[in-house]
Amino acid sequence: MAQALPPTLTNVGTVVSVRGSVVDAWFPKQLPGYLNRLNAGEDGQVVVEVVAHLSADMVRGIALTPTPGLARGAPVVDQEQSLQVPVGHALLGRMFNVFGTPIDKRDPLEQVAWRSIHQAAVPLMQQSTQSEILETGIKVIDVLAPIERGGKTGLFGGAGVGKTVLITEMIHNMVSQHQGISLFCGIGERSREAEELYHEMQAAGVLDQTVMVFGQMNEPPGARFRVGHAALTMAEYFRDDAHQDVLLLIDNIFRFIQAGQEVSGLMGELPSRVGYQPTLATELAGLEERISSTSTGAITSVQAVYVPADDFTDPAAVHTFGHLSASIVLSRKRASEGFYPAVDPLRSSSKMLMPAIAGKRHYDTALAVRQTLATYDELKDMIAMLGMAELAAGDRQIVYRARRLERFLTQPFFSTEQFTNKPGRLVSLDAALEGCERILNDEFADYPESTLYMVGDIQEVTA
């Protein structure tokens, strides 16, 4: 469905130059506003966003659609408004592009409100100052790297370690536990990944409470750069108008920075450190600061983060880290050992894990679990060379505890039931803490390690 446009569009200009995605246009009557949408070409199919005023009658824009066929002298119509996307409950279960057009080959949307993708962040006075933990029902995350409600969590991991499965499970738990809405935003995704995720969510039964927005890898940089803003505008409706909690999943935030870098290069801006755009910090903050919680609802974000060449000093990684309140690191080694979810308990961390926020019991238990696992990690080389028999009695005890904790922190997922034939488990934070405490107190020293593998709460072991 085409977006409803203003009835009388009389501000018409002419294309002066086309350089890839950069379009310069001349408007003799009136200069279009900054960030206005222009439709260029004889059929108006090329969508351009104004990003600079060059003179009193010249504008420069970035094309959000491919420009082949667009020539000098072609007409340009000022739509007298910025890019708009649809908002409302009619979006649930659907898949959209950056213009809010459905791309799932289903019926077009009818009777929906449209809203500009350029919205201001919630003023500080209206933001919630309460730091709350959002329970995900996943033991290893809730205990060792709790997520902040209304905060931003980074999900780090390479290909094939379970990022998508973890994202699908979080969506399932958000819907079942918090009656919330999930919104998936794919920035620079491969179209294969988008299609697979759509079918996986359909199979897991979570699609009807999810909205999906994609700016795919083959699209121009302008479209990839704006798709995050489009998704946030849809999420803000559910938070501010419907007063619901929203889980916003972004895959991948690095590609947003990369698209901004391409746009900056096309515009001829001087590059900054390592070739990044000089406006990197501002652009990232403009997107991230819109993710927040108010007294009536919250947007909680989980963002997949690609770290270029594993260099954590890269400007893209440094600026992204500054916005995150928790980091969940997925480890290929743990995945190969069969520990799912493959979260690395020693490299994952959260700012929520403080006695004042999480509570003394949670803080002390998490600290003890981490210390036990860290000591076991240090002893692994000695065990590999000399065997368990050469360890001191105290160290042997720690190893037994750590091995039981590792297995207890695995969990069967609802989204993988058809592969594992194990029913999914949703474990409350209290139950997860109780299980960790009892293992640390050696209550399960006589139980085989395998009895703690892939269970929900600790009662299942005793039963």
Side-chain angles (χ1 to χ4, degrees), residues 101-343:
T101 309
I103 51 172
D104 51 9
K105 297 180 180 172
R106 285 165 55 194
D107 298 337
L109 293 176
E110 301 291 346
Q111 304 292 313
V112 287
W114 291 76
R115 206 173 272 186
S116 167
I117 67 167
H118 301 287
Q119 302 286 342
V122 177
L124 279 174
M125 295 297 289
Q126 292 170 26
Q127 288 188 23
S128 169
T129 54
Q130 201 81 31
S131 288
E132 292 177 63
I133 287 174
L134 181 81
E135 281 192 37
T136 62
I138 300 168
K139 289 181 286 193
V140 65
I141 293 175
D142 287 346
V143 173
L144 296 173
I147 289 175
E148 179 184 8
R149 180 178 176 266
K152 296 164 270 280
T153 300
L155 187 60
F156 301 86
V161 292
K163 280 200 301 289
T164 306
V165 173
L166 200 55
I167 281 172
T168 316
E169 187 69 7
M170 281 186 182
I171 290 173
H172 177 279
N173 293 358
M174 184 73 181
V175 172
S176 59
Q177 200 175 359
H178 300 279
Q179 286 75 52
I181 299 295
S182 297
L183 205 143
F184 183 90
C185 172
I187 305 177
E189 284 276 275
R190 298 167 186 85
S191 51
R192 168 186 64 77
E193 292 173 331
E195 194 202 14
E196 282 173 8
L197 188 68
Y198 181 80
H199 292 305
E200 276 173 29
M201 289 191 178
Q202 217 168 15
V206 296
L207 189 63
D208 57 347
Q209 288 297 308
T210 308
V211 182
M212 303 176 85
V213 192
F214 288 99
Q216 282 157 226
M217 210 174 247
N218 60 329
E219 293 182 33
R224 284 181 272 127
F225 187 54
R226 287 292 178 225
V227 72
H229 299 88
L232 260 168
T233 303
M234 295 174 181
E236 282 165 347
Y237 167 84
F238 291 109
R239 179 190 65 191
D240 301 334
D241 297 40
H243 304 313
Q244 286 180 288
D245 278 4
V246 184
L247 182 66
L248 173 67
L249 301 131
I250 301 176
D251 191 4
N252 187 306
I253 200 72
F254 172 75
R255 302 214 190 282
F256 165 76
I257 294 168
Q258 212 172 26
Q261 188 180 6
E262 288 178 55
V263 168
S264 174
L266 289 166
M267 292 292 295
E269 292 175 358
L270 283 172
S272 178
R273 235 181 95 210
V274 202
Y276 284 105
Q277 62 271 41
T279 49
L280 166 69
T282 318
E283 287 167 2
L284 187 62
L287 185 77
E288 297 278 15
E289 290 307 304
R290 286 171 66 180
I291 300 167
S292 60
S293 59
T294 64
S295 55
T296 54
I299 299 176
T300 305
S301 169
V302 177
Q303 310 172 4
V305 184
Y306 166 72
V307 181
D310 287 341
D311 176 16
F312 283 84
T313 63
D314 188 273
V318 170
H319 284 289
T320 306
F321 277 130
H323 293 281
L324 301 178
S325 55
S327 303
I328 298 169
V329 181
L330 297 179
S331 148
R332 193 173 303 283
K333 186 169 177 290
R334 290 185 71 75
S336 67
E337 289 168 355
F339 295 126
Y340 290 106
V343 175

